[in-house]
Amino acid sequence: MSWLFDFWRSSIGGKVTMAITGLLLFGFVLAHLLGNLQLLAGPEKLNAYAKMLADTGALLWVARIGLLAVFVLHVVTAIRLARGNRAARPVAYAKEATVQATFASRSMVFSGLSLLVFVVYHLLHFTFGVTNPEHYARKGAGAGGHDVYAMVTQSFAVPAIAIAYAAFQIVLFLHLRHGMQSLAQTLGLNHGRYTPMIRTLSFLLAALIAGGNLLLALSVQLGLVEVAR
Ligand code: HEM
C-alpha cells in the first residue's frame, strides 16, 4: 500500500487523484441534478424518486460512504497541492504573470472551500434537519415519510434560502468550469487546436449544471412550482 501513498504524495499523483475524484464528484452533481429536476414534474414524481433512493437501503449507504471518501480525498489533496505550490515558491513573483491565469484559476481554493461551506449547510438543511427543522419535519410527515417535495418547496419559498442556494451556484459554475479545464490539462489534451474546444465544453457543462440547480433554487420564487401547504 505504501507505493500508493508515495504515488499520491508525488506531484503527478496528486494531479491524477484530483482528476479522478473530480470526475466522480462531477458524476454525482450531474446525477443529483437529474434526479432533483423531478421537482419541476410535481410532488408525485419527486417523492417517488426519493422513495426509490431510500428503498435501495444498504446500497445507498455504500454510495454515501464512497461519496464522502471521494470528497475528503479531493479536498485533502487540493490543500496538499496548494501548499506544495506555495512552498515551491516561497517568494512571490515581483510581477505576477497572470496573463493565462483566469479569475477562476486563481480562486480555485477559495471557490472549493466555499463549496465545502455550501455542502455542510446543505446537509444540515435537507439531510439532518438542523437549520430549518420545520421544513425537515414536512419530509417525514407526508407521502409515507418521503415528502421531499414539501420540504424543498417550503424551503425555497423563503427568499433568503432561495438566494443563498442561487448564489452558491455561481461559485459551483466557476469551480466546475476551471476543474474541467484542469482535468483536460492533466490528461494532456490542453494544447493547440483542442484548447478552444475544451474551454467551450467546460463552459457549457458547468453552465448546464449550475444553471439547472439555479432554476431549482428559484423555482418557487419564479412560480414554476407550487408550495406544498
Ligand atoms: C438547488 C439544488 C439542489 C437541491 C434542490 C438539492 C436537494 C437535495 C435534497 C432534497 C437532499 C436530501 C435527500 C434526502 O436525504 O432525502 C440532498 C442531499 C445532498 N445533496 Fe443536494 N440539492 C441541490 C444541490 C446540491 C449541490 C450543488 C451539491 C454538491 C455540490 C449537493 C450535494 C448533496 C449531498 C452530498 C447530499 C447528501 C446525499 C445523501 O447522503 O443522500 N446538492 N440534496
Side-chain angles (χ1 to χ4, degrees):
M1 279 314 262
S2 86
W3 66 268
L4 200 61
F5 185 65
D6 287 345
F7 177 67
W8 176 77
R9 279 179 58 93
S10 72
S11 176
I12 183 66
K15 282 181 183 157
V16 169
T17 305
M18 288 309 282
I20 294 172
T21 53
L23 260 178
L24 290 169
L25 291 171
F26 180 82
F28 166 76
V29 181
L30 178 63
H32 194 47
L33 169 64
L34 292 178
N36 288 340
L37 281 174
Q38 307 280 333
L39 175 67
L40 303 177
E44 289 80 20
K45 291 273 185 201
L46 185 69
N47 292 339
Y49 166 68
K51 184 173 178 332
M52 185 269 288
L53 275 187
D55 285 348
T56 55
L59 210 62
L60 181 65
W61 277 103
V62 172
R64 280 175 165 166
I65 292 165
L67 181 66
L68 182 67
V70 167
F71 190 73
V72 169
L73 196 56
H74 193 73
V75 174
V76 170
T77 311
I79 293 171
R80 186 179 68 71
L81 285 176
R83 277 187 169 176
N85 284 347
R86 233 179 307 145
R89 172 146 270 288
V91 182
Y93 288 108
K95 195 169 176 218
E96 255 192 277
T98 50
V99 188
Q100 287 285 321
T102 60
F103 168 74
S105 82
R106 274 178 284 135
S107 53
M108 209 51 185
V109 171
F110 179 73
S111 63
L113 290 177
S114 306
L115 284 177
L116 184 63
V117 171
F118 168 75
V119 172
V120 170
Y121 164 66
H122 183 50
L123 292 179
L124 290 175
H125 183 201
F126 284 156
T127 301
F128 300 113
V130 174
T131 56
N132 292 85
E134 72 281 16
H135 300 154
Y136 187 73
R138 293 297 304 265
K139 178 162 96 167
H146 298 287
D147 204 351
V148 169
Y149 183 88
M151 173 177 75
V152 172
T153 52
Q154 289 264 328
S155 291
F156 291 158
V158 179
I161 296 181
I163 292 170
Y165 269 79
F168 272 112
Q169 301 317 313
I170 300 169
V171 182
L172 182 65
F173 167 76
L174 292 173
H175 196 82
L176 288 181
R177 189 187 62 166
H178 184 73
M180 279 182 269
Q181 287 176 3
S182 301
L183 173 74
Q185 184 114 42
T186 303
L187 295 178
L189 297 173
N190 215 357
H191 58 81
R193 61 198 171 106
Y194 294 125
T195 305
M197 204 171 76
I198 285 163
R199 276 173 183 258
T200 309
L201 203 67
S202 303
F203 180 93
L204 288 178
L205 283 173
L208 206 75
I209 291 194
N213 280 327
L214 184 73
L215 187 70
L216 294 178
L218 299 178
S219 58
V220 173
Q221 304 295 329
L222 294 173
L224 297 175
V225 296
E226 253 177 62
V227 181
R229 291 285 154 217

